[in-house]
Amino acid sequence: MELLVGSLVAGIAVLIGVLLIAKRKAFSKLMEDSQRSAFGKAGTKLMGRPEPGYMVVAGLGAVLIGVAIAIVLITR
């Protein structure tokens, strides 16, 4: 059971990471629109414009977490 749940979580983490990397421009636009709707023009000025490069960093982080979970499950 632990192997099944762990592999499912690892697969989802890798999938989310790949989607973040592939659709980074759309996600950064979504974040910018969310900030603007929540905080108005001040939100864009205070928080800055989300850069697509940061989406790549977040995507790589999710992929690395998924790979780390998979490695732990395999070596256990």
Side-chain angles (χ1 to χ4, degrees):
M1 188 66 167
E2 180 179 307
L3 183 65
L4 177 67
V5 172
S7 61
L8 182 67
V9 169
I12 289 172
V14 170
L15 181 67
I16 287 172
V18 170
L19 284 175
L20 275 175
I21 293 170
K23 302 289 185 179
R24 62 185 173 267
K25 287 187 180 183
F27 280 119
S28 66
K29 180 72 174 155
L30 175 72
M31 286 180 59
E32 183 180 5
D33 292 341
S34 298
Q35 288 174 358
R36 190 176 305 123
S37 68
F39 302 106
K41 289 183 182 178
T44 305
K45 291 180 183 176
L46 289 175
M47 293 180 220
R49 187 164 187 258
E51 297 290 327
Y54 293 124
M55 289 291 126
V56 173
V57 172
L60 285 175
V63 169
L64 288 175
I65 288 172
V67 169
I69 292 171
I71 289 172
V72 167
L73 288 174
I74 290 171
T75 59
R76 207 155 195 237

